Amino acid sequence: MSTNKKRKIEEENRGFRSEWTDTYAFVPNNMGQPKCLICDENFKNNKKSNIERHFLSKHDSFGKTYPAGNERKTAVAELIRKSHQSTSKFNNWLQSASNLTAASFVVSHEIMKSGKPFTDGEYIKKCFIGMSEHLFSEFKNKTEIINKIKDIPLAATTVRDRAVRMAENVTEQQFSDLKSSPVFSLACDESCDVLNLFCNTMV
């Protein structure tokens, strides 16, 4: 009987391919894994079939609006520019704040991206403190490090405030982009739902 085991994707050392950027609007993230420029979703492995499926199923309208070729390359280049601009503004914001506030924003940002509740901030800090007891056991300033982690403001109300401020920042960027655009269009739709029409008539 054969003892060969099926090889896992993560064991194949697949790398990100540059052509995926212009074709599927993906770029490598800090870990070298695919990140969608359109919806900001990160993938765990460099598998073309997953990237292609994501693009065709979730961003079919983008593909139709910007056909493969120069039109899509131009659209992707603009997405990359906006991504760099957004990251730069966020980093500048963090650098202008204190270390503890910056750390609080980073955790809050990850909570928002993952769609987790505001209360997870304290849970994350509790986990971090527990890990630090082992990670920094050989550090002379272990106590100082742990106390610093304990001081990070991550209460539910604080995380909510961070989320509001980050949302306001995104809105400011959107207004800035609209003001810099020479033209823009609005897509309107109407409801064909019978119940909705009935309610509007009653009002």
Side-chain angles (χ1 to χ4, degrees):
M1 184 173 66
S2 176
T3 58
N4 291 333
K5 294 182 179 179
K6 188 175 181 180
R7 195 173 184 181
K8 296 181 179 179
I9 295 176
E10 55 269 25
E11 295 175 346
E12 296 180 0
N13 297 319
R14 301 189 184 193
F16 183 88
R17 296 184 181 179
S18 58
E19 60 264 27
W20 294 345
T21 299
D22 290 334
T23 306
Y24 305 117
F26 269 81
V27 292
N29 58 20
N30 295 333
M31 302 294 291
Q33 298 167 338
K35 173 185 175 182
C36 180
L37 285 167
I38 303 173
C39 65
D40 208 35
E41 184 174 342
N42 288 273
F43 282 34
K44 293 183 178 180
N45 55 69
N46 288 290
K47 191 174 181 181
K48 180 183 177 181
S49 58
N50 291 343
I51 294 173
E52 184 177 30
R53 187 184 306 112
H54 172 88
F55 181 78
L56 295 176
S57 62
K58 294 190 176 182
H59 307 302
D60 182 57
S61 59
F62 180 89
K64 291 179 179 178
T65 304
Y66 305 104
N70 292 332
E71 289 187 51
R72 187 171 300 175
K73 286 182 179 180
T74 302
V76 170
E78 180 63 17
L79 288 174
I80 293 175
R81 184 191 68 79
K82 290 183 177 180
S83 177
H84 288 167
Q85 185 181 47
S86 176
T87 302
S88 177
K89 287 184 177 180
F90 185 65
N91 289 337
N92 290 337
W93 192 4
L94 294 182
Q95 290 173 6
S96 65
S98 67
N99 292 337
L100 291 176
T101 302
S104 177
F105 268 107
V106 170
V107 175
S108 299
H109 187 227
E110 291 300 323
I111 289 175
M112 297 306 103
K113 285 171 58 179
S114 302
K116 300 298 182 180
F118 298 144
T119 50
D120 274 11
E122 288 292 348
Y123 169 72
I124 292 173
K125 181 163 71 172
K126 184 178 180 181
C127 292
F128 197 5
I129 292 172
M131 290 189 297
S132 299
E133 292 286 350
H134 304 281
L135 287 174
F136 309 119
S137 59
E138 299 178 358
F139 285 52
K140 293 181 180 180
N141 60 338
K142 170 190 168 184
T143 302
E144 182 182 350
I145 294 174
I146 294 178
N147 287 335
K148 199 77 170 178
I149 296 172
K150 289 179 179 179
D151 289 337
I152 300 174
L154 287 173
T157 53
T158 302
V159 175
R160 182 190 64 81
D161 177 67
R162 303 289 189 251
V164 170
R165 291 188 62 183
M166 286 186 282
E168 290 174 346
N169 179 257
V170 170
T171 301
E172 290 175 4
Q173 292 182 50
Q174 291 175 330
F175 275 116
S176 177
D177 288 339
L178 286 173
K179 289 179 181 179
S180 63
S181 299
V183 295
F184 62 89
S185 62
L186 295 175
C188 300
D189 195 7
E190 61 179 350
S191 174
C192 297
D193 187 271
V194 176
L195 179 61
N196 189 41
L197 293 173
F198 175 75
C199 291
N200 287 337
T201 303
M202 292 296 291
V203 174

